[in-house]
Amino acid sequence: MSTARGRHEGISDPSVRRLSLYLRHLESLSSRVETISSRALGAAVGLGEAQVRKDLAQLGSFGSPGVGYRAADLVGGLRRALGTDQDWDAILVGVGNLGRALASHGGFVSKGFRIRAAFDADPAKIGTTLGTAPPSVEPIFVQPIESAPAFVAAHAIRLAILAVPAESAQAVTDALVAAGVDGLLNFAPVRLVVPSHVVVNSIDLAAQLERIVFELGPKAADAEPA
Amino acid sequence: MSTARGRHEGISDPSVRRLSLYLRHLESLSSRVETISSRALGAAVGLGEAQVRKDLAQLGSFGSPGVGYRAADLVGGLRRALGTDQDWDAILVGVGNLGRALASHGGFVSKGFRIRAAFDADPAKIGTTLGTAPPSVEPIFVQPIESAPAFVAAHAIRLAILAVPAESAQAVTDALVAAGVDGLLNFAPVRLVVPSHVVVNSIDLAAQLERIVFELGPKAADAEPA
DNA sequence: TAGATTGTTAATCGATTAACAATC
DNA sequence: TAGATTGTTAATCGATTAACAATC
């Protein structure tokens, strides 16, 4: 992540990540579950009870001593804190393999994110259709990348998902930010330079595998020649 | 991330993430760059020079006072520390939109990760071909998910990339771990329970957007009715 | 030599964990 | 009432930042 720290509440980034975990678990619960304790919630997401209480206390009071947290209220409080109590419109830029997958990603829609349009620099892709796979996702026509800024401005789009090559990521970012985008989810392995009011979250997929193999340690050394 | 902390070096997770950033930047540099200072490297990835020196000092001595770090040596040291000085074989499980995109992801191959086989539970997908898009990625035939454990055992595969529905993620994980997998990159929004020797890195794509909108703060409030 | 820059130690800062009084 | 569990304060732990002597 980068920039724009703590514009509102002073909740730390590690804590925000955990709030998403709590929300995900609570959403998966039956609506017949009325309350949940910090201990149970912690166990479900792999954290201690003290950590859970500390995190949730930042959002207000959703718990009762001796009883636990009211699950429905807590879901509402978490969504409100995260900003997903309202839907967010987004655009997708870059319709390669990854872009196409993201456009069809059901997980976005159910969490309040809607991809309103998709753009690509490749003329061969213009006019093709995306996101037809899962039900409830209406098809999206791919438009030329040059028309992205106008679309952003016309529809007051604030979020963009970038699945473009590393070489073009900065140029695309500059154009989108100038048009009004202030939140970017970037999959290119480059650091995007943006004005301080813009929030960037970059995910380097290869780096995610690197973190795993780091933890695994060196592969069993090939037999050392004596 | 979870479990298996510090099996070898005592490098913290935040630091490991930064090591990938440094490596990515150094790889993007011309081979004519022979040395780079902590200040320059930090500026490139958006960190302070003290942070860079602290991180790199953990790997050994790749720098000279008054000169900087030897770029080529540092790339080697970073790869060695991360574990990507050797190639890693992986399998992909789940050949939906996201799975297909990951199979074709050029970024994995160039960083030392090779997807050797793909598996899916859907009979309609068996035998189809994946990963033909970028050059240098040989095509992969999709196999029935039941044959994944045997493949893992036969080829001594340690890494698996999971792009399966949340409901089946745990069952798939259990089968793969039993067959020998000890590193999992999981895209399903569920916490995987694994033995302590197994390393899991879970990426919830919706949560990545949530982190952005949290930082953006509440959307401009609709005009309050007076 | 003088300027630049490392590696490391010390100081600061922030986050996690533990403890416990309040209370349902 | 007794047991459970919150919200919060204090204690611990770890990570980041600053400073500086060593040295190229």
Side-chain angles (χ1 to χ4, degrees), chain A residues 112-225:
Chain A
F113 299 102
R114 284 163 199 289
I115 296 179
R116 293 302 186 187
F119 302 88
D120 202 287
D122 180 358
K125 287 175 179 153
I126 311 303
T128 60
T129 305
L130 288 187
T132 46
S136 90
V137 180
E138 62 264 40
I140 302 166
F141 290 94
V142 179
Q143 303 175 46
I145 196 163
E146 297 79 24
S147 54
F151 187 94
V152 164
H155 296 81
I157 302 282
R158 299 183 57 186
L159 290 180
I161 301 173
L162 256 58
V164 299
E167 307 78 61
S168 41
Q170 184 65 56
V172 167
T173 297
D174 293 344
L176 295 176
V177 168
V181 165
D182 60 359
L184 290 144
L185 180 56
N186 168 45
F187 288 90
V190 289
R191 186 173 88 102
L192 299 178
V193 178
V194 293
S196 64
H197 74 282
V198 176
V199 177
V200 175
N201 185 4
S202 288
I203 300 180
D204 179 338
L205 292 171
Q208 305 307 319
L209 280 175
E210 286 173 344
R211 289 174 59 209
I212 296 175
V213 300
F214 169 80
E215 293 284 346
L216 291 179
K219 290 170 82 167
D222 312 58
E224 285 270 349

